[in-house]
Amino acid sequence: MSEITLGYEIPALQLPPISRHTLALYCGASGDHNPIHVDSDFAKKAGMPDVFAHGMLSMAYLGRMLTNWQPQSQLRSFSSRFAAITQLRDVISCTGTVVELFEVEGESRARLEISAAKASGEQTLIGEAVVAL
Amino acid sequence: MLDRSKIGQQFAPLVAPIESGRLKFFAKSIGETSPIYTDEAAARDAGYKTLPAPPTFAMVLDMESEADLPPEVELLQLDVGRILHGSQSFEYLGQMYAGDVITVQRTLVDIFDKKGGALEFVVTENTYTNQDDQLVAKTGCTLVYRNA
C-alpha cells in the first residue's frame, strides 16, 4: 500500500441510470417502505415532482466503491450528508480521494473524501470514510 | 415544532436476525457484483466466516420493526411525506454476518431547527450488538423535517 499518497484517487464507480425498477428493488430489499420513493401519486401529493431515490441507495453505491478498493474488513467508518435529491434517470458516479494518512494504535489508516454526483456534476452525497491500509 | 421533551428517549430494543437470502437480495438491489456478498464459498475464501453484511446494511435492520418506519416517526408524530434523510454515519467495530442475530438499540439524541423553524432535524444514534454480546457497529442518523 506504499503507493497510497495524499491526493490518491481510488477507482470510481459508475452506475446505470436510476429507474423506477431500481427504486422498487431497493424498497423491498432495504425494508425502507416509505412510499415517497415508489408511489408517484404519494410523492406528488407530498409536493415532489415524482418519486426519487433513497439517499441510502447512493450511500450503498459509495460503500460498493470503498469495498471494491479495499476489503470491507478494513473499513473503519463511513459517513455522508445528503446534499441533493437523486431523481429518476439520474446517472450517478462515485469518487473518493485520500486526504489524510494517519495511524491509530499502530494501524495505518487513510481518510477519504467521498462523493456521489450526477452527470451534471451536482453532488448528491458528500462524505468521508476511514480505511485501514 | 416537534416535542423537544422526547430528547433522550431510548426506544425498545429491536432483535433482528440477518438472513442470507436477505443479504443476497440487498446485494442485488444495490448492483453489487463482488461474489463475496452472494456466494458463501467466495466469502470464506476472502477470509470472512460466511456472507458479510455490506457496509450500509445496519440501517436495513432498523427497518425490521413491525412499524415499518423508524420509531421516531410515531413518537414525534411525523408526517412521512415531509421527511428527508439529512445525513448518516457508520462506525465499524466488528463484522455482521448472515446468521447473526443483532440487537439494535436506538436513542433519540437531539432535535433542533434551522431557518426559523422551517426545517427541524431529528438525530438518532444506534448500537448493534450480536448474539455473542459483541458491539459490532454504531450509527448516527439525522432526519430533516420540512415544516414549510
Side-chain angles (χ1 to χ4, degrees):
Chain A
M1 284 301 139
S2 53
E3 76 275 18
I4 306 298
T5 54
L6 289 184
Y8 175 79
E9 292 182 15
I10 70 172
L13 181 69
Q14 299 287 338
L15 283 309
I18 300 286
S19 69
R20 293 178 199 276
H21 183 244
T22 317
L23 301 185
L25 278 178
Y26 188 77
C27 168
S30 71
D32 183 343
H33 297 165
N34 186 335
I36 207 156
H37 300 297
V38 287
D39 181 339
S40 308
D41 300 335
F42 183 93
K44 285 170 187 164
K45 242 181 251 170
M48 310 305 285
D50 203 340
V51 296
F52 56 93
H54 309 73
M56 287 308 296
L57 173 61
S58 289
M59 195 162 182
Y61 293 153
L62 286 174
R64 281 180 54 197
M65 171 183 69
L66 291 167
T67 58
N68 281 347
W69 178 53
Q70 296 290 337
Q72 186 176 336
S73 51
Q74 289 172 221
L75 185 58
R76 297 289 174 261
S77 65
F78 174 25
S79 62
S80 179
R81 131 181 115 72
F82 303 97
I85 287 177
T86 301
Q87 308 286 0
L88 289 170
R89 292 174 286 280
D90 277 342
V91 176
I92 296 299
S93 54
C94 298
T95 55
T97 305
V98 174
V99 294
E100 187 186 356
L101 293 164
F102 61 106
E103 208 168 276
V104 175
E105 291 166 3
E107 181 178 82
S108 297
R109 296 183 180 181
R111 185 183 311 279
L112 293 96
E113 285 180 359
I114 53 177
S115 71
K118 302 181 187 185
S120 64
E122 183 187 12
Q123 289 181 314
T124 51
L125 273 68
I126 301 169
E128 68 165 52
V130 172
V131 177
L133 298 175
Chain B
M1 298 288 271
L2 303 176
D3 183 358
R4 296 328 196 238
S5 75
K6 305 291 189 194
I7 294 171
Q9 171 116 13
Q10 269 207 343
F11 297 100
L14 179 66
V15 179
I18 301 182
E19 293 161 359
S20 66
R22 184 61 177 280
L23 287 182
K24 292 174 189 177
F25 181 27
F26 184 77
K28 176 182 178 178
S29 79
I30 65 172
E32 179 61 71
T33 53
S34 166
I36 74 156
Y37 296 103
T38 50
D39 176 343
E40 284 84 356
R44 280 193 296 273
D45 287 348
Y48 298 94
K49 71 176 186 189
T50 183
L51 294 183
T56 62
F57 191 82
M59 213 182 146
V60 172
L61 299 175
D62 303 357
M63 304 291 177
E64 293 298 280
S65 74
E66 286 174 21
D68 211 34
L69 289 165
E72 61 270 25
V73 172
E74 187 185 349
L75 180 75
L76 300 170
Q77 296 175 310
L78 303 179
D79 170 5
V80 172
R82 290 153 63 189
I83 299 172
L84 291 171
H85 199 176
S87 65
Q88 182 70 35
S89 65
F90 297 88
E91 183 183 348
Y92 304 102
L93 305 159
Q95 176 63 55
M96 292 188 213
Y97 288 103
D100 282 354
V101 178
I102 304 293
T103 300
V104 184
Q105 178 64 65
R106 189 174 187 88
T107 307
L108 175 60
V109 295
D110 202 10
I111 302 173
F112 61 94
D113 60 271
K114 288 185 183 173
K115 300 190 179 173
L119 295 176
E120 288 190 273
F121 296 77
V122 178
V123 185
T124 51
E125 288 178 359
N126 285 4
T127 59
Y128 300 81
T129 307
N130 69 14
Q131 63 282 0
D132 301 321
D133 266 338
Q134 185 195 4
L135 178 64
V136 287
K138 296 182 189 178
T139 63
C141 172
T142 302
L143 297 181
V144 182
Y145 197 58
R146 298 181 288 141
N147 281 317

